[in-house]
Amino acid sequence: MQTYPTYSSLVAVGDSFTEGMSDLLPDGSYRGWADLLAARMAARAPGFRYANLAVRGKLIGQIVDEQVEAAAAMRADVVTLVGGLNDTLRPKCDMGRVRGLLTEAVERLAPSCERLVLMRSPGRRGPVLERFRPRMEELYACVDELAARHGAVVVDLYGAASLADPRLWGVDRLHLTGEGHRRVAEAVWQALGHEPEDPEWHTPPPATAPPGWLDRRIADARFTREHLLPWIGRRLTGRSSGDGRPAKRPELLPWAEPDPARRPADA
């Protein structure tokens, strides 16, 4: 009879991907793969505790300065670390510095937990990915090297055909939809040694007719107005979407499902 691991705590470290954008809940908050994973793990472990220190927009240096030490001090069974991708998408990026900071984070976190989980982040098909692909792949080569050196688990989302499908990405074209986050949670779940609930998470959704020319132009205009121009504005002024935002779940506390009756003002 096969047995599966039981973990009593999870701490998630990172940026908007781990915060859960764009898996939007009715109250205006974000759920995301880490919350979904925590819910599954809690179902197997009474008293399960969870913290999510992720904040959107954070660069790897900010993750190291603001999240890593706190995460290590929590001594959780499982720690997930995803960072560095925001750095690679900047016009200027010192990849040597990024690799060094990621190495610092892994060296601090690996001894503090039973299982450290790293990821090769997903990439949406399109011209943006092609432009930054060399940096991304350099980052992921570093992830692989660090995992081998420190005994960490690597979840390869970059190589998953399903997560390259534009239909699994939100209107901002930077963050996964709820379905995309569900598939990421499934991938991490399996990487931790659990029995698959969706063995085909890496398979793209069934083919559908592509949107027409007019629908594509409307989508492009919305993306430019609501996401691209504000993103450019933040880059030009040195601001980040995460400035002033607290961590999503800053304390390692017993898991509780979000209250569906919570009003947007409470989010």
Side-chain angles (χ1 to χ4, degrees):
M1 179 177 179
Q2 187 171 0
T3 59
Y4 298 97
T6 300
Y7 299 105
S8 64
S9 52
L10 167 68
V11 174
V13 174
D15 51 32
S16 58
F17 174 65
T18 301
E19 184 184 344
M21 297 174 72
S22 293
D23 185 8
L24 191 64
L25 294 173
D27 67 2
S29 65
Y30 292 105
R31 182 177 53 180
W33 65 265
D35 283 14
L36 293 168
L37 177 65
R40 287 196 193 185
M41 296 172 76
R44 288 180 174 265
F48 180 84
R49 297 176 300 153
Y50 170 52
N52 189 326
L53 307 183
V55 178
R56 66 194 71 173
K58 293 299 182 182
L59 303 173
I60 186 61
Q62 294 170 309
I63 291 172
V64 170
D65 291 343
E66 300 167 14
Q67 300 179 33
V68 166
E69 197 66 30
M74 292 177 180
R75 309 296 298 185
D77 288 353
V78 178
V79 174
T80 65
L81 168 63
V82 188
L85 190 61
N86 283 334
D87 297 77
T88 70
L89 299 178
R90 295 294 178 105
K92 295 182 179 180
C93 175
D94 182 346
M95 286 303 299
R97 181 173 182 273
V98 171
R99 293 194 307 271
L101 288 164
L102 185 61
T103 299
E104 180 181 343
V106 170
E107 289 178 346
R108 183 67 186 91
L109 290 171
S112 76
C113 61
E114 179 180 338
R115 181 65 67 195
L116 177 62
V117 178
L118 307 177
M119 297 187 200
R120 295 160 56 93
S121 301
R124 182 183 189 272
R125 287 197 303 268
V128 173
L129 175 62
E130 293 307 315
R131 177 181 177 185
F132 296 105
R133 186 185 295 276
R135 289 180 184 173
M136 294 169 64
E137 294 187 347
E138 184 176 349
L139 176 68
Y140 300 154
C142 181
V143 166
D144 291 342
E145 292 167 7
L146 290 170
R149 192 184 312 160
H150 295 278
V153 172
V154 176
V155 183
D156 184 14
L157 307 174
Y158 181 69
S162 62
L163 297 179
D165 191 315
R167 292 172 295 173
L168 268 64
W169 291 75
V171 294
D172 65 0
R173 304 181 184 180
L174 286 174
H175 301 103
L176 293 170
T177 63
E179 172 61 14
H181 279 281
R182 183 197 68 78
R183 290 175 185 243
V184 172
E186 176 67 31
V188 182
W189 176 255
Q190 292 183 27
L192 287 172
H194 294 291
E195 182 179 11
E197 295 187 11
D198 176 12
E200 301 301 321
W201 69 266
H202 55 280
T203 302
T208 58
W213 182 90
L214 180 59
D215 288 337
R216 295 198 304 273
R217 298 294 78 77
I218 292 173
D220 288 344
R222 179 185 177 188
F223 163 70
T224 301
R225 180 180 66 254
E226 297 182 5
H227 301 286
L228 180 59
L229 293 178
W231 184 85
I232 292 173
R234 291 194 296 271
R235 297 291 80 75
L236 293 175
T237 57
R239 294 178 293 115
S240 167
S241 57
D243 288 347
R245 289 185 177 272
K248 183 175 184 178
R249 294 172 62 102
E251 299 180 76
L252 188 60
L253 296 174
W255 167 256
E257 290 284 353
D259 182 358
R262 188 173 62 169
R263 302 185 305 274
D266 300 327

